[in-house]
Amino acid sequence: MKLNRIGAGALLAVGLLLAACGTPTPAPAAPAATAKPAAKQVKVAVVMPSASNDGAFSQSMYDALKAVQASMGGEAAMKIAVSEGMVQVPNAVAAIRDYAQQGYDLVIAHGTQYGNSLTEIAKDFPNTAFAWGTATDTFAAAGVKNVFAYNPRAQEGGYVLGVLAAKMSKSGVIGVCGPVEAGDAKTYVDGFKKGVMDTKKDAKINVTYTGSFSDVSLMAAAAETHTKAGADILTGSSQSVVGAIGVAKDKKAIWFGTQANQTSLAPDTVGASQVYDWTGVIKEMLDLSAKGTKGGKAFELSLQSGGLKIVYNDKVSIPADAKAAADAAIKGIIDGTIKPLP
Amino acid sequence: MTLLPTGRARIDELRMVGITKRFPGVLANDGVDFDVRAGEIHALLGENGAGKSTLMRQLYGLYKPDAGEIRLNGAARRFNSPSDAIHAGIGMIHQHFMLVPALTVAENVALGLASSRGPLLDLDRVSKRIEELGERYHLKVQPDAQVWQLSVGEQQRVEILKALYRGAALLALDEPTAVLTPQEVGEFFKVLRRMAEDGHALIFISHKLHEVIDISHRVTVMRDGKVVATHPTAGSTRERLAGEMVGRPILLEYDKPPVPAAAANEVPRLEVEDLHVRGDRGRDALRGVSLSIRSGEILGIAGVSGNGQRELAEALTGLRRVTRGRVRVNGRDLTHATPQQRIAAGQSAIPEERMKDGVVRDFSVSENLILQDHGHAPYSRAGFLNTRAITRDCAALVKDYSVKTPALETPTKNLSGGNIQKLILARELARKPTLLICAQPTRGVDIGASEYIHQRLLEQRQRGMATLLISEDLDELMALSDRIAVMYEGRLMAVLDRADATPAKLGLLMAGVAA
Amino acid sequence: MNELFTVPVLLGILYSGVRLATPYLYAALGEMFAQRSGVVNLGVDGIMLMGAFAAFFVVSNTGNLLLGVLAAMLVGLLMGLIMSFVSVNLQAEQGISGIGLYLFGLGLSSLLFKKLSVSTRAIEGFPALPIPVLSDLPEIGDVFFKHNILVYIAFALVPVAAFVLNHTTLGLKVRAAGMKPEAADSLGVSVARVRYLCVTFGSMMAGLAGASLSIGLINLFQENMTSGLGFIAVALVYFGGWTPLGVMIGALLFSMVNALQLWVQVKAIPIPSDLAVMLPYILTIAALVLGRRARQPAALSKPFSRGEN
Ligand SMILES: Nc1ncnc2c1ncn2[C@@H]1O[C@H](COP(=O)(O)OP(=O)(O)O)[C@@H](O)[C@H]1O
Ligand SMILES: [Mg+2]
């Protein structure tokens, strides 16, 4: 009897199955028995590293897809398939290939880490449009024609929120909870720092990185450390900041969010959020794709394009002069008189 | 009801009837009948694999019999686990100690027992009781010593105390003397006799004939899962018991012609002068050993294990560095020679750890047979193994030395201990060595195979081979040696002629007492 | 560097250390019992995730914190029974089974979170419970005596665990089962029962560890919110030499080094953040390498059977 082998194997198999289920890939389009036979249904798939309700990076994309879908006329006009929680790149790559195989019009690889594998897949499916971000490279140099790239100028909103923070801090100490020193997290933090320093020379900005996008408890400890060091304003990036926002709430500090509107996480604590609004980018990619251009363009979310928005929380009162300074900063960034990065 | 000094009721009679136990491919017990009474020491004798342990494990509730019945004082009982057996007053000392080395003696004894303090341990009380019992049965141990710190003999005592503490009225002792020195065996037998006098029923398992004759009242002999004989011990000889065990007449003492007188210019086969080597812990394991062996002579080395015998064998086979002294083989200085150079000089070796140093477990029988000779003709030509020659010669060796193996390709680890030893013997003797360094040649080997190995060694002696025979088995040393040296703490206490070497004399020397 | 070693910073490190150590402590104390009985349960992280989710879910629906804790422990108990069954009855390879259990917990907690909760949102978790008098002590009061009750319980469990292990008949059985199960078996101790008990208890503690995160420390749930914390807890058992005190020292040391590295960054000590982040792990590995393996339960991760059939 090899019961022992079977036992371990069975548990492992169930575990793997559930790990896969935790990140479900919807079955291919069900026969549209109830749906009206629309002119043509557009099919968009997205693969993301965390949950669609993470209150941050993945949610920003998910919300945008939903918004586009609504504006186009719902399910019948646009079908969305989502693979979330794709922490393991090989699994994500398999999902991307699957979607391409199933004839999706646009396959979005929502994570910088997925990029490397995209060049090959894209070559295998020249009639499918792919998109990845946050990134600026469409692999045109490598002869790939059907990959879009998108990148938020996170530093722009970061700068504006930095201005707000500098105006509102009473202690003059501001804490920044970074995840990994890379990508839009880094540009956000750099923009934020510049915004603070340009507004208040003697302010003190303490920056920490936890080395993880998901370590909630270490992020909470980071926030705690910042408040112990005197910070009364906190900000941070990635899905792991939920822990930090909780600390900000406990310590009565003000939090500035990025990526998605984080007000709902702590309605009395979040002062404002920089919100990524991908709807414009998604629409444009779909338009181009319908016209036969399957890639080659790098999009940037910016304050100017409206892809980045500063969303205030009514429950947290923002002094008028702070708001005015923020508005001025937005204007300056749009007209180019302010450079948000050092 | 008669009570034992421990306050528990006696077991007047235990009877096992028609016990049958089958393992995949083996009928370990085949309709075994066995009984023991209060006050009796009943020996259970049999070769390795005869089914003795299996029988006892069923008595102790570790295995369930496929058929048969266990009757205690006439009533049929069923033991589903050791705790059932313990409750019924049965104790068992296992072949391999069932002690937790990192726990103290008291903790080992208290394990699994209810405590007088409910869920809390009551080690003080346990310790006191251990001391009382130790007093009564001459089983002195420190209750708060950790078991790993104890000598093997002391650990044995803890095992017995565990059983007595639980009020065992019947004790099954599975090869309890296998790990004891002759001195410890003497002490141990006193304890057993004492317990029997008090009314305990004792089952004594062994395959050592003189022990069985020495200690038991009755003896039951098992072979291949069956009982072949049960009779009073008084009046039975070692030859009779050995014959019953093996199923054919067995020689225990051998006729051998004396070593011829030395020729005028004869060079000793092995000369060792003032040999020093370090042990594994850095201390000197050999401290000035000198000896010499002539052609056609067997020199036995007796001693309690750990007195430098292993290091001596390793030094003489090139596995351990000599720090001082000189070794000459056939007149040539081989003090620092490699194992290969020694083989070339006509030396062979039978290592003590046969599975570790004697064979490669996972190699086939034939691969092990040519282990040292595979590099040259006829087994190797231009770097390729000559399979035809190998198969031919190996088949002959396996036949000559009656190695029981299903095939030449069988992995060596699947053979029994006796057959592996025969395989090593075949390989080492096929070279026609002039000197053999031979350590524990029959440890763990059945009597039948032992007798065979002994005959082969004597045959080579006849041919003129010199043998250094290191053994912990006094019977073996006395049967084979022409002279016997006793080792104690890295030195030779004395070298006796076989005729002068009595067990009593040897025992004293082994304990470090000069004659 | 001098900036780092000021009283407020050191107190801050202590405070964060104590808080962060809590989930490690629950998980590692539980795992220590499983390992002392001879079973390595690598599924701790998965059980923590399930416990964290169960507690979060129950509290966000009922508002009852005690109920949340019980839910986490119940989930731990069920997963512990699975692990016990697989490792004791089926005698399966424990490492692989544990990884399976981890993946199971990771997947199921994510799935349930998505199906049952609308979004990540904070709940009211255990409030800080200042201990009268002691919490008024200057400096020290804040650091040690103004935590939530789950923190106190975790530390109180350390001496309790040590006592149970060393001074009760049950503890003796546990130690024997992990060092030499055949010896325990030969004295009528059911090794299977002891291992079931320890693995299940350990898993309940892992569930509680999850709750201490989701309704004690962070007050919300996130997919994979432990992010490997349970594996560190397993390492801490080795680190702590399989003793409750050692485990506690390990948990505190690990958390405090983690807190320290955050302060290193806050104080802008010029060490790359990537390096600072690695500090606790480097320490753990170093301690494991240098640690005394001699203390390891001799039968750790070896299934036990009498060899009958
Ligand atoms: N647990 C087991 N599983 C399979 N075979 C066994 C087991 N225990 C013993 N045997 C086999 O049963 C036979 C009797 O073994 P044992 O009772 O140990 O012999 P003894 O104690 O007389 O040396 C041997 O052939 C042995 O290989
Ligand atoms: Mg046996």
Side-chain angles (χ1 to χ4, degrees):
Chain A
M1 272 293 238
K2 291 266 164 60
L3 256 185
N4 49 351
R5 295 271 173 80
I6 296 170
L11 194 49
L12 190 63
V14 173
L16 282 169
L17 196 74
L18 259 164
C21 277
T23 56
T25 307
T34 51
K36 269 186 283 175
K40 185 184 178 295
Q41 189 195 34
V42 183
K43 288 160 61 177
V44 180
V46 62
V47 176
M48 356 197 251
S50 51
S52 59
N53 55 354
D54 68 349
F57 185 66
S58 294
Q59 184 161 6
S60 71
M61 176 55 77
Y62 185 74
D63 289 351
L65 283 168
K66 282 291 185 196
V68 172
Q69 185 185 48
S71 75
M72 286 175 65
E75 278 277 350
M78 176 175 161
K79 176 184 162 55
I80 305 173
V82 184
S83 288
E84 13 181 4
M86 288 287 174
V87 182
Q88 307 291 340
V89 173
N91 293 347
V93 170
I96 292 167
R97 193 173 270 284
D98 254 15
Y99 285 128
Q101 200 109 47
Q102 288 174 25
Y104 277 76
D105 301 288
L106 174 62
V107 180
I108 305 175
H110 193 51
T112 313
Q113 63 269 40
Y114 304 147
N116 285 343
S117 329
L118 210 54
T119 44
E120 277 178 33
I121 304 180
K123 278 181 184 164
D124 291 348
F125 299 95
N127 295 322
T128 306
F130 293 89
W132 76 298
T134 59
T136 51
D137 184 2
T138 65
F139 304 118
V144 176
K145 296 200 178 64
N146 54 336
V147 172
F148 294 112
Y150 53 85
N151 188 46
R153 289 195 200 151
Q155 65 271 22
E156 295 190 355
Y159 187 93
V160 177
L161 295 179
V163 170
L164 278 170
K167 286 280 180 197
M168 289 170 68
S169 174
K170 297 195 177 72
S171 66
V173 182
I174 292 159
V176 181
C177 307
V180 177
E181 205 168 351
D184 65 331
K186 180 170 164 42
T187 53
Y188 171 76
V189 171
D190 291 347
F192 186 90
K193 275 180 5 189
K194 186 148 192 291
V196 172
M197 294 321 278
D198 285 357
T199 313
K200 194 169 176 185
K201 286 248 148 26
D202 59 346
K204 186 148 180 41
I205 310 176
N206 296 325
V207 184
T208 56
Y209 286 99
T210 59
S212 159
F213 288 108
S214 61
D215 195 331
V216 182
S217 56
L218 193 57
M219 196 52 110
E224 226 165 68
T225 307
H226 285 303
T227 57
K228 287 255 171 205
D232 58 350
I233 307 247
L234 296 175
T235 187
S237 169
S238 96
Q239 60 270 27
S240 63
V241 295
V242 288
I245 295 174
V247 171
K249 185 175 140 205
D250 280 352
K251 307 280 173 189
K252 310 241 175 322
I254 290 176
W255 176 268
F256 288 111
T258 181
Q259 295 182 331
N261 186 349
Q262 294 174 336
T263 302
S264 67
L265 291 172
D268 302 317
T269 305
V270 178
S273 307
Q274 160 172 248
V275 177
Y276 294 175
D277 182 355
W278 304 103
T279 48
V281 174
I282 295 169
K283 276 187 184 151
E284 203 172 334
M285 288 193 293
L286 287 175
D287 277 351
L288 285 174
S289 163
K291 289 183 194 125
T293 309
K294 303 288 181 188
K297 186 165 176 196
F299 297 92
E300 293 240 298
L301 289 191
S302 63
L303 290 170
Q304 182 174 23
S305 71
L308 295 180
K309 288 198 190 83
I310 303 297
V311 181
Y312 291 96
N313 175 11
D314 302 335
K315 282 220 184 129
V316 176
S317 68
I318 310 269
D321 71 317
K323 206 156 198 168
D327 288 341
I330 293 174
K331 212 159 147 271
I333 292 169
I334 290 176
D335 66 22
T337 52
I338 293 177
K339 295 266 172 291
L341 279 182
Chain B
M1 187 161 40
T2 334
L3 293 185
L4 292 164
T6 52
R8 291 307 213 54
R10 289 204 208 192
I11 292 178
D12 289 322
E13 187 199 53
L14 163 86
R15 191 171 277 280
M16 301 177 80
V17 187
I19 301 288
T20 298
K21 179 70 187 175
R22 196 181 293 276
F23 291 117
V26 195
L27 187 54
N29 284 164
D30 183 3
V32 172
D33 295 330
F34 182 81
D35 71 289
V36 62
R37 298 168 213 133
E40 180 190 40
I41 302 178
H42 190 158
L44 188 54
L45 179 69
E47 298 266 63
N48 282 328
K52 308 179 296 291
S53 297
T54 302
L55 186 67
M56 290 303 114
R57 296 181 72 118
Q58 294 168 89
L59 174 60
Y60 196 59
L62 284 164
Y63 295 162
K64 286 182 201 64
D66 296 338
E69 200 174 73
I70 298 173
R71 290 184 207 141
L72 226 52
N73 295 335
R77 299 294 292 269
R78 194 172 264 284
F79 302 138
N80 289 318
S81 79
S83 46
D84 291 350
I86 292 169
H87 279 295
I90 294 171
M92 180 159 175
I93 311 294
H94 298 261
Q95 193 165 355
H96 306 284
F97 287 162
M98 291 294 182
L99 295 170
V100 188
L103 297 183
T104 65
V105 170
E107 284 174 324
N108 268 286
V109 171
L111 178 58
L113 285 178
S115 158
S116 61
R117 295 167 64 205
L120 305 185
L121 285 171
D122 54 351
L123 292 179
D124 291 344
R125 243 178 115 129
V126 173
S127 299
K128 222 169 116 234
R129 179 91 180 112
I130 290 174
E131 277 168 350
E132 283 167 20
L133 284 171
E135 200 78 28
R136 160 116 204 128
Y137 290 99
H138 304 294
L139 295 164
K140 274 267 160 54
V141 282
Q142 288 280 329
D144 55 356
Q146 291 194 312
V147 164
W148 62 266
Q149 299 171 317
L150 303 182
S151 72
V152 175
E154 287 172 311
Q155 296 189 15
Q156 182 77 270
R157 283 180 229 158
V158 179
E159 283 285 29
I160 297 177
L161 281 169
K162 266 165 60 181
L164 288 177
Y165 195 101
R166 284 165 173 72
L170 182 152
L171 206 56
L173 303 128
D174 195 350
E175 308 214 14
T177 56
V179 288
L180 300 184
T181 64
Q183 272 70 33
E184 285 172 326
V185 170
E187 291 293 308
F188 178 67
F189 279 3
K190 280 190 207 150
V191 174
L192 296 192
R193 291 201 180 97
R194 178 80 199 253
M195 289 173 64
E197 279 159 22
D198 280 350
H200 288 89
L202 301 180
I203 303 169
F204 175 79
I205 300 181
S206 179
H207 56 235
K208 292 189 188 160
L209 302 169
H210 63 261
E211 288 182 358
V212 168
I213 291 175
D214 196 8
I215 188 79
S216 68
H217 302 118
R218 270 197 301 162
V219 56
T220 290
V221 183
M222 284 184 75
R223 186 168 74 230
D224 293 336
K226 291 194 193 64
V227 170
V228 289
T230 299
H231 48 73
T233 312
S236 33
T237 59
R238 286 168 60 212
E239 276 72 14
R240 173 176 171 197
L241 294 177
E244 285 169 349
M245 258 166 91
V246 180
R248 64 178 164 85
I250 288 281
L251 277 181
L252 293 172
E253 264 141 42
Y254 312 113
D255 288 331
K256 52 180 201 285
V259 186
N265 56 352
E266 186 189 306
V267 180
R269 288 284 153 96
L270 175 69
E271 275 177 290
V272 176
E273 272 169 41
D274 191 31
L275 195 66
H276 284 72
V277 306
R278 293 239 167 77
D280 293 336
R281 303 233 174 84
R283 300 223 330 261
D284 273 358
L286 291 187
R287 302 186 289 173
V289 169
S290 302
L291 54 85
S292 95
I293 312 176
R294 293 174 49 206
S295 170
E297 186 187 33
I298 297 179
L299 174 68
I301 304 277
V304 176
S305 79
N307 275 291
Q309 297 96 312
R310 186 165 58 88
E311 288 81 359
L312 176 63
E314 286 173 356
L316 294 181
T317 48
L319 298 176
R320 188 173 285 270
R321 209 171 64 85
V322 172
T323 49
R324 204 164 100 203
R326 187 172 293 285
V327 176
R328 269 190 291 269
V329 175
N330 295 322
R332 277 179 55 200
D333 187 328
L334 291 187
T335 312
H336 300 290
T338 63
Q340 289 74 21
Q341 289 168 329
R342 288 170 206 266
I343 290 172
Q347 179 181 328
S348 277
I350 295 180
E352 173 176 344
E353 302 250 354
R354 73 182 71 105
M355 290 313 282
K356 192 166 134 268
D357 303 325
V359 291
V360 182
R361 292 170 53 87
D362 296 312
F363 276 21
S364 70
V365 167
S366 56
E367 281 166 336
N368 269 309
L369 277 170
I370 59 153
L371 205 54
Q372 279 121 353
D373 303 311
H374 67 267
H376 46 77
Y379 304 132
S380 169
R381 271 187 308 208
F384 290 95
L385 287 177
N386 178 355
T387 348
R388 182 101 79 54
I390 291 173
T391 311
R392 181 195 61 214
D393 289 4
C394 288
L397 278 177
V398 161
K399 185 156 169 289
D400 278 0
Y401 285 81
S402 62
V403 180
K404 281 190 201 115
T405 172
L408 288 177
E409 295 75 32
T410 305
T412 305
K413 64 181 176 198
N414 291 1
L415 304 192
S416 75
N419 280 304
I420 292 175
Q421 193 68 318
K422 285 191 212 161
L423 185 161
I424 296 172
L425 200 69
R427 180 183 71 208
E428 298 299 318
L429 297 186
R431 266 184 235 126
K432 298 215 178 337
T434 53
L435 171 65
L436 180 70
I437 309 296
C438 178
Q440 320 293 356
T442 59
R443 179 191 277 173
V445 172
D446 331 334
I447 294 197
S450 297
E451 184 200 30
Y452 184 88
I453 291 168
H454 289 163
Q455 294 296 355
R456 287 303 166 118
L457 291 177
L458 289 173
E459 207 174 278
Q460 295 294 318
R461 168 184 176 273
Q462 216 48 28
R463 194 180 52 78
M465 180 179 81
T467 307
L468 181 78
L469 173 67
I470 299 172
S471 176
E472 281 167 31
D473 181 349
L474 282 189
D475 290 340
E476 176 171 75
L477 286 173
M478 311 251 267
L480 297 179
S481 309
D482 299 298
R483 288 182 295 143
I484 299 178
V486 181
M487 245 183 136
Y488 180 75
E489 297 200 335
R491 292 203 183 87
L492 294 188
M493 289 290 291
V495 184
L496 307 178
D497 271 337
R498 166 65 186 86
D500 303 334
T502 60
K505 240 187 214 175
L506 292 174
L508 280 176
L509 288 167
M510 282 162 71
V513 183
Chain C
M1 271 297 188
N2 288 340
E3 251 192 286
L4 200 56
F5 296 106
T6 60
V7 172
V9 170
L10 293 180
L11 289 174
I13 290 175
L14 277 178
Y15 176 80
S16 301
V18 169
R19 263 173 74 90
L20 276 178
T22 304
Y24 291 115
L25 207 47
Y26 279 117
L29 281 178
E31 175 73 6
M32 187 207 67
F33 270 96
Q35 294 203 6
R36 285 302 283 263
S37 81
V39 180
V40 174
N41 182 359
L42 286 185
V44 176
D45 204 57
I47 302 172
M48 285 180 69
L49 282 168
M50 284 299 292
F53 176 75
F56 172 78
F57 181 73
V58 167
V59 171
S60 61
N61 283 303
T62 67
N64 187 329
L65 290 166
L66 188 62
L67 224 52
V69 167
L70 290 178
M73 290 176 73
L74 181 70
V75 163
L77 183 138
L78 292 176
M79 292 180 75
L81 286 176
I82 297 177
M83 184 66 195
S84 303
F85 178 74
V86 171
S87 61
V88 174
N89 296 82
L90 302 186
Q91 313 243 326
E93 217 288 313
Q94 293 171 10
I96 296 187
S97 315
I99 297 292
L101 196 67
Y102 159 65
L103 291 171
F104 174 82
L106 174 67
L108 191 60
S109 63
S110 306
L111 186 69
L112 291 174
F113 175 51
K114 248 165 277 168
K115 295 284 176 244
L116 300 178
S117 308
V118 194
S119 136
T120 300
R121 67 197 146 89
I123 48 154
E124 286 301 323
F126 280 99
L129 185 72
I131 295 182
V133 188
L134 289 177
S135 60
D136 295 332
L137 292 173
E139 315 295 5
I140 303 292
D142 264 0
V143 171
F144 295 112
F145 304 110
K146 271 190 193 154
H147 292 284
N148 71 54
I149 186 153
L150 292 182
V151 177
Y152 300 133
I153 292 179
F155 283 87
L157 278 174
V158 172
V160 174
F163 183 84
V164 169
L165 207 52
N166 295 318
H167 298 287
T168 66
T169 52
L170 177 65
L172 183 59
K173 289 182 198 174
V174 171
R175 285 182 284 154
M179 291 193 278
K180 194 148 176 188
E182 56 275 22
D185 180 58
S186 79
L187 293 179
V189 174
S190 167
V191 174
R193 203 177 301 166
V194 169
R195 289 188 170 177
Y196 251 87
L197 190 73
C198 287
V199 172
T200 308
F201 169 76
S203 301
M204 281 169 67
M205 295 286 278
L208 192 53
S212 79
L213 273 179
S214 69
I215 63 174
L217 207 57
I218 306 187
N219 297 337
L220 46 74
F221 183 82
Q222 256 248 328
E223 192 177 8
N224 190 21
M225 72 185 292
T226 55
S227 96
L229 198 152
F231 289 98
I232 297 291
V234 175
L236 287 177
V237 175
Y238 285 75
F239 181 104
W242 292 270
T243 64
L245 187 68
V247 162
M248 184 184 83
I249 291 172
L252 277 173
L253 204 63
F254 185 80
S255 332
M256 290 203 287
V257 174
N258 236 328
L260 170 75
Q261 66 92 358
L262 290 171
W263 277 103
V264 165
Q265 297 189 48
V266 165
K267 291 294 176 187
I269 309 282
I271 300 176
S273 70
D274 309 308
L275 211 65
V277 165
M278 282 194 293
L279 222 66
Y281 299 92
I282 293 171
L283 178 98
T284 309
I285 292 170
L288 286 180
V289 171
L290 301 175
R292 290 158 299 183
R293 283 193 86 76
R295 297 254 204 103
Q296 176 167 342
L300 189 59
S301 84
K302 296 194 184 79
F304 171 73
S305 78
R306 282 185 193 150
E308 190 184 26
N309 309 325

